[in-house]
Amino acid sequence: MPPTFDLLVIGDANPDVIVGPLDTPLAFGQREQLVDSGALTLGGSAAITACGAARLGLRVAFAGRVGDDGAGHYMRDRLAAHGVDVQGLHLDSALPTPLTVIVTRGDDRAILTSPGTLAATTGRDIPPHLLTSARHLHAASYFLMPGLAADLPDLFDAARAAGTTTSLDTNDDPSGRWDRAALAPVLARTDLLLPNAAEAHRLAGTDGTSVAAAAELLARQVPLVAVKNGADGALCHDGRTLLTTAGIHVTPQDAVGAGDSFNAGFLAGRLTGRPIAEALDLAAACGALSTRAPGGTTAQPTWDEALTHLTANGDIPS
């Protein structure tokens, strides 16, 4: 029986409150500062990736945990509105939905997150039938969700036993520890690792060297590593070959969630049979195009839109 879904995404889901740009230091002392814009939007690395993949035409399911409150219902409804199946999104009656406030300044941002249900999320929140009914399993925000992180080896084992491939985006580690020993059993079961450049250096222990060197080291642990490198595009390494892309030029308004849209583009490229180099071009385009409007999902491209930009750029044949 063919899989029900192309992609199952597990991990974090929370509203993002995005304000900025702030052109002066953040002031305390009960000072009020005015910024040009503010937005309430769907957030969480896993949730943004799921929406981006659905926007690109994949059949996507999401599993995780939010509070049984207004914010949780908002997340469930917004995911569903983006075409994501939310049967695996558990509503917690005891804990609140996570909430993130993002203050932007130039091309940088400060991120403040109230964890809510994040620490309480575990592998028990992932319905077993979903693990075996998707072609690919993607996990996000490893360091934010210690309970789910501890269960990832077993979840990845169950998925791979059913023929499902796996990927991981660890995202940042707020503790600053970057426990590579604890992560090693997960990487041993991961087919694709999707860090940004800073995360790749921390995961590989290669601060001060090139991003390519970090990717090459990580590719000794994972079959394929695709690294988001901001305005410099992206690169990937399979342990033998380094591929790079310069991406496409856009005038960015907001980079929140761009890396998650990159993830969606790379996964969509591979799951539709594109060669790695073309999937990398597609991913970089999806990440760039997502920055055209505030929030992580507002400007995520469709498949045709992404290919149109790539064809015009000469990266992917029409």
Side-chain angles (χ1 to χ4, degrees):
M1 187 173 180
T4 304
F5 300 103
D6 298 305
L7 175 64
L8 169 62
V9 182
I10 62 176
D12 54 333
N14 57 264
D16 279 347
V17 178
I18 306 170
V19 293
L22 186 65
D23 53 13
T24 59
L26 185 63
F28 288 86
Q30 301 183 53
R31 295 289 308 280
E32 185 165 356
Q33 296 169 275
L34 300 180
V35 295
D36 290 341
S37 66
L40 170 66
T41 185
L42 180 149
S45 176
I48 295 172
T49 298
C51 290
R55 179 77 170 156
L56 290 166
L58 297 187
R59 300 166 299 163
V60 183
F62 184 90
R65 178 186 290 242
V66 294
D68 190 4
D69 51 23
H73 289 238
Y74 168 82
M75 289 303 301
R76 182 188 61 189
D77 293 346
R78 294 310 303 154
L79 281 163
H82 281 83
V84 177
D85 186 289
V86 292
Q87 62 177 292
L89 183 58
H90 176 69
L91 298 179
D92 190 317
S93 61
L95 292 170
T97 299
L99 179 65
T100 293
V101 176
I102 300 169
V103 182
T104 65
R105 184 175 64 185
D107 60 358
D108 198 5
R109 56 189 183 267
I111 304 171
L112 307 173
T113 295
S114 172
T117 56
L118 289 177
T121 306
T122 70
R124 292 188 297 275
D125 291 308
I126 315 304
H129 74 276
L130 286 181
L131 288 174
T132 58
S133 61
R135 295 169 57 204
H136 186 87
L137 170 62
H138 176 73
S141 296
Y142 172 89
F143 294 108
L144 287 181
M145 313 178 79
L148 183 60
D151 291 337
L152 278 184
D154 288 341
L155 292 173
F156 277 20
D157 277 343
R160 297 177 83 182
T164 300
T165 51
T166 59
S167 60
L168 175 68
D169 185 350
T170 66
N171 302 101
D172 189 35
D173 181 1
S175 74
R177 291 190 294 269
W178 297 89
D179 188 343
R180 294 193 291 274
L183 182 60
V186 183
L187 295 184
R189 296 160 170 84
T190 299
D191 296 304
L192 168 64
L193 181 64
L194 291 155
N196 65 27
E199 294 157 0
H201 278 306
R202 298 305 300 270
L203 293 170
T206 55
D207 289 344
T209 65
S210 69
V211 180
E216 183 176 5
L217 280 174
L218 290 171
R220 297 176 185 175
Q221 301 177 67
V222 176
L224 183 61
V225 179
V227 183
K228 298 153 275 195
N229 201 20
D232 291 328
L235 55 92
C236 65
H237 208 296
D238 65 359
R240 300 175 301 279
T241 304
L242 174 69
L243 298 172
T244 63
T245 183
I248 62 173
H249 175 73
V250 300
T251 300
Q253 290 193 35
D254 177 15
V256 171
D260 308 314
S261 293
F262 174 100
N263 295 347
F266 199 93
L267 293 173
R270 295 300 288 154
L271 287 169
T272 54
R274 295 276 177 168
I276 293 174
E278 291 187 12
L280 186 66
D281 287 332
L282 179 69
C286 289
L289 292 169
S290 76
T291 69
R292 297 170 297 169
T297 61
T298 307
Q300 286 178 319
T302 64
W303 179 265
D304 287 343
E305 185 181 7
L307 287 188
T308 296
H309 279 82
L310 286 171
T311 301
N313 204 48
D315 290 320
I316 288 183
S318 57

